[in-house]
């Protein structure tokens, strides 16, 4: 298996994995990802920003994640807490 940055050619395989995860969540009464997100637009955005990674087994995409080693706007405001340090951080999102 290898971990590599995703390309636009991986987008359909990534979407298929995301749809499988959405179905799993729904079957297990988990409300995450039940509002149409992540979708192809978010996948392509992650690829464009070079955040999207895939794990391949014999050239088949079997897993995906967005690994953000930049300022993540989701964490610009932290309520009732703070970062333990001001050093750069890495966020992992959309793991499937």
């Amino acid at each position: 298996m290898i971990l590599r940055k995703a390309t636009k050619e991986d987008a359909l395989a990534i979407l298929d994995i995301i749809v499988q995860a959405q179905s799993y969540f729904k079957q297990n009464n988990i409300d995450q990802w039940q509002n149409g997100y992540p979708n192809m637009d978010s996948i392509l955005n992650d690829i464009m920003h070079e955040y999207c990674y895939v794990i391949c087994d014999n050239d088949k995409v079997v897993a995906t994640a967005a690994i953000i080693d930049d300022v993540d706007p989701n964490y610009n405001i932290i309520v009732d807490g703070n970062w333990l340090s001001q050093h750069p951080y890495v966020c992992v999102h959309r793991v499937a």
Side-chain angles (χ1 to χ4, degrees):
M1 290 193 190
I2 63 164
L3 173 70
R4 65 169 172 78
K5 286 188 179 182
T7 66
K8 286 183 183 178
E9 290 76 22
D10 298 318
L12 287 176
I14 294 167
L15 182 61
D16 183 53
I17 291 168
I18 296 294
V19 168
Q20 289 177 49
Q22 289 167 328
S23 176
Y24 172 85
F25 288 157
K26 185 173 186 173
Q27 291 172 6
N28 288 279
N29 297 315
I30 301 168
D31 64 359
Q32 187 171 1
W33 293 3
Q34 297 304 301
N35 63 354
Y37 169 88
N39 54 33
M40 185 58 81
D41 289 341
S42 55
I43 292 166
L44 291 173
N45 185 61
D46 284 345
I47 291 171
M48 180 181 70
H49 286 97
E50 298 187 352
Y51 298 150
C52 191
Y53 286 78
V54 292
I55 294 177
C56 296
D57 184 10
N58 293 321
D59 296 324
K60 180 181 179 188
V61 175
V62 296
T64 185
I67 303 172
I68 301 171
D69 63 347
D70 196 0
V71 174
D72 186 336
N74 291 299
Y75 300 113
N76 283 342
I77 299 173
I78 299 175
V79 178
D80 295 330
N82 59 351
W83 292 111
L84 297 177
S85 72
Q86 296 303 313
H87 297 287
Y89 57 89
V90 173
C91 296
V92 180
H93 294 290
R94 297 175 285 288
V95 177

